[in-house]
Each structure stands twice: as C-alpha cells, then as structure tokens.
Amino acid sequence: MESAKRFSRLGVTASVTTEALLFAGALVRHPGMVGAIAPASRWLSRAMTRAVQACGCSHVIEVGAGTGSITRTILASGMHLERYCAVERDPVLVDWLRARHPGIEVLCDCASCVLELIDTQRATAIVSSLPFRSLPAEQASRCASVFSQAVCASPGTVLIQYSYGLGDSPPFATSEATLRWTLFERVVLNLPPASIWLLQNTSP
Ligand SMILES: C[S@@+](CC[C@H](N)C(=O)[O-])C[C@H]1O[C@@H](n2cnc3c(N)ncnc32)[C@H](O)[C@@H]1O
C-alpha cells in the first residue's frame, strides 16, 4: 500500500516536471502567446474549476489549454460534463494534451474558432487562459471580438477568463452593450498572481 502511494506520488512529480519543461519550451518558441513563466498553479486551477461549477454549464470549451493544468483539475472534479473540448495553438502541447486526456476533444487551432464550436442550444463555459496583455494586437482583438459574440450566441454561456495581476481592469474591453464583466476570485498563489473574471450577457 505504502509503495503504491509512493509510486503514485512519483508519477505526479514526473508529470509536473514534464509539464514545466513543455511550458518552458512553448515560452521560448512564442513568448507573447504564452505570457507567463509557469503553468497555472493548483490554486489557480482549482479556482477556475470553482468558476465552472458556479456557472453550472454542462459544456466546456477550454481555449489556450497549454500543458493542461486547468484541464486536469476540471476533469478530476467529478462534475457532470456532457462535452469537454480543449483548443490549443501549439502542436507540441496539443500532442501532450491528446496523450494525457484521450477522452476529450483536443483541437490544434486558434481560439477564435470558438464560435464555430459552440452549440447555440446549450449554455457553455468558455474557459480561457489566453494572455490578452501579451498577445499580438491583431490576435488579441480578433479573439476578444469572437469571445464576446460567443457569449451572446446562447443563453447562459459565460467566458471564464483569468488575467495576470490583481488590478481592477477586466482582461479586455467589449463593445457589446449587454455584456458585463464581474470579478470572480483573486488568486495570489500563482506565478504571477492572477484574477479570474466572468463575462456574461445581461440581456434577458
Ligand atoms: C498562459 S499559457 C497556458 C496556461 C495553461 N493554463 C497552463 O497551465 O499551461 C497560454 C496558452 O495559450 C496558448 N495560446 C495563445 N494564443 C492562442 C490562440 N490564439 N489560440 C489558441 N491557443 C493560444 C499558448 O500556446 C499557451 O499554451
């Protein structure tokens, strides 16, 4: 029993080390698109999972899934999900996500494809790790516009987006008049500290 526990602990440590190396590789390849020095911490991953639970959506589309720290925590939470789709642009990370999570859809694509993925009959949680403050300007503005349209596409759909820093400004400005940002949680135990924001449609 003790040795089984030790093996399981070793497995977790090996996986965390592999994730850190994969993350560092992605950071070297395209620093602006990664925008951080480490994968989401377990505290940030748990807080993002609480946000998904609070929204009560049975469909999740995760964009910028990276090394999958948030993916893993949401899938392990035991909440009932009918669909989990992860979208990541870096093919090396996509291969890792597919190997780690064979039971979910993993797409190698830009997050701006989210509008085509949404089922307009279902409330969807769009879980985003995109680093809006460091993304190339054209990509940031395209993704912000598509995310805003996606939140309006079906009732109950919500964007759960974290951004680095503990300030009061939301991740991006939206021109849709009925959309509102609310601060869900601040997470100090992350590198760097982060704030989780929800973008929701206030129109009935
Ligand atoms: C902050 S990092 C990953 C965070 C992730 N939660 C983790 O712990 O590994 C942001 C990720 O978004 C991906 N990304 C950036 N721009 C993207 C885009 N337009 N479409 C899809 N993925 C994108 C990057 O490749 C990177 O893996």
Side-chain angles (χ1 to χ4, degrees), residues 134-158:
S134 66
L135 279 183
E138 182 276 327
Q139 199 181 126
S141 109
R142 180 160 29 96
C143 290
S145 163
V146 167
F147 288 1
S148 299
Q149 292 173 57
V151 171
C152 295
S154 58
T157 289
V158 56

Side-chain angles (χ1 to χ4, degrees), residues 27-38:
L27 183 58
V28 170
R29 283 192 294 280
H30 36 74
M33 276 170 47
V34 174
I37 52 170

Side-chain angles (χ1 to χ4, degrees), residues 53-176:
Q53 283 165 329
C55 295
C57 300
S58 60
H59 283 200
V60 172
I61 301 177
E62 185 186 0
V63 291
T67 54
S69 39
I70 294 173
T71 322
R72 179 165 21 88
T73 311
I74 293 175
L75 293 174
S77 69
M79 82 180 98
H80 173 69
L81 294 175
E82 287 168 21
R83 182 186 184 197
Y84 199 108
C85 176
V87 181
E88 169 54 53
R89 205 166 191 174
D90 184 320
V92 176
L93 300 180
V94 167
D95 285 347
W96 167 255
L97 289 165
R98 285 184 177 146
R100 286 304 305 270
H101 304 290
I104 65 168
E105 288 169 76
V106 180
L107 305 179
C108 187
D109 209 335
C110 175
S112 56
C113 72
V114 77
L115 204 49
E116 294 143 44
L117 299 174
I118 287 238
D119 176 346
T120 53
Q121 304 302 309
R122 309 306 287 262
T124 300
I126 303 165
V127 175
S128 170
S129 297
L130 291 204
F132 275 95
R133 297 200 173 116
S134 66
L135 279 183
E138 182 276 327
Q139 199 181 126
S141 109
R142 180 160 29 96
C143 290
S145 163
V146 167
F147 288 1
S148 299
Q149 292 173 57
V151 171
C152 295
S154 58
T157 289
V158 56
L159 171 66
I160 303 170
Q161 168 78 53
Y162 70 82
S163 63
Y164 297 117
L166 302 175
D168 287 328
S169 47
F172 58 83
T174 172
S175 53
E176 305 279 346

Side-chain angles (χ1 to χ4, degrees), residues 43-55:
W43 296 276
L44 178 56
S45 300
R46 285 177 192 155
M48 290 292 278
T49 303
R50 281 195 289 280
V52 176
Q53 283 165 329
C55 295

